[in-house]
Amino acid sequence: MQGIGIITLCDKKNMVMDRIFSGIQPTGTPHLGNYLGAIQNWVNLQEEYSSVLYSIMDMHSLTMPKEPAVLRQNILDTTAAVLACGIDPKKCFLFRQSLVPEHAELAWILGCITNVPRLLRLPQWKMKRASQSNGGTVGLLTYPVLQAADILLYKSTHVPVGEDQVLHLELAQDIAQHFNKKYGEFFPVPKAILSTTKKIKSLRDPTVKMSKSDPQKLATVNIVDSPDEIVLKFRKAVTDFTSEVTYDPASRPGVSNLVSIHAAVSGLSTEEVLHQSAGLDTAHYKMVVAEAVIQKFAPIRNEIKKLQEDKSHLIKVLEAGAEKAKELATPIYQEIRRLVGFQ
């Protein structure tokens, strides 16, 4: 089963029939890269499409070791964050993955038609297993199949993805086509909605993407950081010895990363940001970007704090979303059971 490489944008003419699915791992409150690369796009998509599902991927989070108490808190913190960022349960299904057991059941069925060599070639497997002393777990190897099940369980047609998830979506496309060939046309082949936001890089090493697991505390801006913390992180951001503000990711990755962040949080184009910043040196420009981020995150940070104080509300939101997701998934999964011979 070879990668088909079909990556297309959504067809606006058929929006009524389209279904969006996406998920986020519960790592606590998201960072700047999560917000600009995924969550901000989620907010826009829930306004554009009539059928949208967003999942807190707690099953996927087990691929990297977590203490149960930490995972429980992370689920609630991530839920509070996406709600505070503008996700509206009235406009989408927001739910916890493990509350819909059909995800895992379908993953088993799809795993039985997926070749192991294909999974071994995925770069995330090669990269992440290096961090595990046991050489990598079965869950870490097969979680892309669970991702395919997450998408296909709802007959999703479109999936917002970043560049680093394109290969996993291609796997889901291949699995859908393989299932259809074996059992008859059933799954739509999901298409990608690629984020238009430039990938946000580490403030301390602008050659790698911003990550919550970065050991350098000044590398990552979290959406709940205080104004002082944000200012410090941008003041210490790595740039170069040229003081002019320009955009050239290849030769000036540090300052170009700042321009990308500034454009994304302000809603301006790269050209508009550069025009506004003409005459500023990079030291002053860092503070301009820091202030733009502070202004963007201030209301979100306040809303997260309010939501975190009401755990019962967060739990109810996820449970209500799971009930709706289950209603959608049950008839689809029952038909899958019939097709494969379970009933």
Side-chain angles (χ1 to χ4, degrees):
M1 195 162 57
Q2 297 298 315
I4 56 177
I6 298 176
I7 300 296
T8 58
L9 294 177
C10 55
D11 179 3
K12 296 279 183 173
K13 294 178 181 177
N14 298 318
M15 272 202 300
V16 176
M17 301 301 295
D18 289 342
R19 175 166 294 145
I20 303 289
F21 181 92
S22 192
I24 185 170
Q25 284 206 36
T27 57
T29 50
H31 59 68
L32 178 64
N34 299 142
Y35 174 78
L36 296 176
I39 300 172
Q40 188 170 244
N41 194 30
W42 281 17
V43 175
N44 296 332
L45 290 171
Q46 73 179 0
E47 302 295 337
E48 297 176 25
Y49 291 84
S50 58
S51 183
V52 180
L53 297 97
Y54 295 138
S55 182
I56 308 296
M57 305 299 234
D58 52 349
M59 293 170 68
H60 284 290
S61 71
L62 293 181
T63 59
M64 303 303 281
K66 298 276 190 313
E67 289 296 326
V70 172
L71 177 57
R72 290 187 198 102
Q73 188 60 49
N74 282 353
I75 290 167
L76 295 177
D77 288 344
T78 302
T79 304
V82 297
L83 291 173
C85 289
I87 296 302
D88 185 350
K90 295 189 179 78
K91 298 176 180 178
C92 66
F93 296 173
L94 178 64
F95 67 101
R96 187 154 58 90
Q97 180 190 25
S98 65
L99 292 178
V100 184
E102 288 85 351
H103 284 255
E105 293 179 31
L106 179 56
W108 176 259
I109 293 172
L110 300 182
C112 290
I113 60 171
T114 304
N115 295 329
V116 171
R118 177 69 185 280
L119 300 178
L120 291 171
R121 288 197 299 270
L122 292 171
Q124 279 87 344
W125 160 251
K126 296 175 182 177
M127 179 179 66
K128 290 184 177 180
R129 77 169 188 168
S131 66
Q132 296 191 349
S133 58
N134 54 13
T137 63
V138 172
L140 187 60
L141 176 64
T142 61
Y143 87 87
V145 180
L146 179 56
Q147 283 184 324
D150 297 331
I151 296 164
L152 299 178
L153 179 60
Y154 303 98
K155 288 192 168 182
S156 308
T157 59
H158 293 85
V159 183
V161 292
E163 294 172 13
D164 57 344
Q165 287 295 322
V166 166
L167 290 178
H168 285 191
L169 183 59
E170 288 181 357
L171 176 67
Q173 293 170 334
D174 285 353
I175 289 174
Q177 291 189 319
H178 191 57
F179 186 96
N180 291 346
K181 185 176 181 181
K182 185 176 178 67
Y183 297 109
E185 288 296 321
F186 185 74
F187 291 123
V189 178
K191 299 173 184 177
I193 301 176
L194 294 170
S195 173
T196 57
T197 302
K198 304 283 194 306
K199 186 181 289 187
I200 304 304
K201 303 298 182 67
S202 160
L203 295 185
R204 298 299 297 162
D205 180 1
T207 63
V208 300
K209 73 175 185 176
M210 188 173 286
S211 171
K212 192 147 191 172
S213 60
D214 196 313
Q216 297 191 71
K217 298 300 182 185
L218 297 178
T220 302
V221 177
N222 298 301
I223 63 176
V224 292
D225 281 348
S226 69
D228 287 346
E229 289 173 318
I230 293 172
V231 166
L232 175 62
K233 289 177 179 181
F234 277 100
R235 182 180 292 130
K236 298 288 187 179
V238 170
T239 51
D240 52 39
F241 297 109
T242 302
S243 63
E244 185 184 4
V245 178
T246 61
Y247 185 77
D248 185 352
S251 61
R252 302 192 69 200
V255 72
S256 298
N257 188 41
L258 297 180
V259 171
S260 294
I261 292 169
H262 191 186
V265 299
S266 64
L268 299 173
S269 67
T270 301
E271 292 73 22
E272 288 170 324
V273 164
L274 291 175
H275 179 72
Q276 284 188 4
S277 307
L280 287 180
D281 59 32
T282 51
H284 286 95
Y285 183 62
K286 288 178 181 181
M287 295 303 96
V288 171
V289 180
E291 184 57 32
V293 171
I294 289 167
Q295 292 300 318
K296 183 73 172 180
F297 285 161
I300 294 173
R301 185 171 60 252
N302 292 336
E303 184 65 17
I304 288 173
K305 288 178 180 177
K306 282 201 300 185
L307 288 165
Q308 286 175 327
E309 292 172 0
D310 192 352
K311 289 186 178 181
S312 63
H313 169 68
L314 298 174
I315 291 169
K316 285 176 184 175
V317 166
L318 293 177
E319 289 177 345
E323 285 299 316
K324 294 175 184 177
K326 207 166 170 44
E327 285 177 20
L328 190 60
T330 297
I332 296 173
Y333 185 64
Q334 288 306 311
E335 181 61 13
I336 293 168
R337 285 177 56 85
R338 188 191 68 77
L339 287 172
V340 302
F342 286 169
Q343 60 185 45

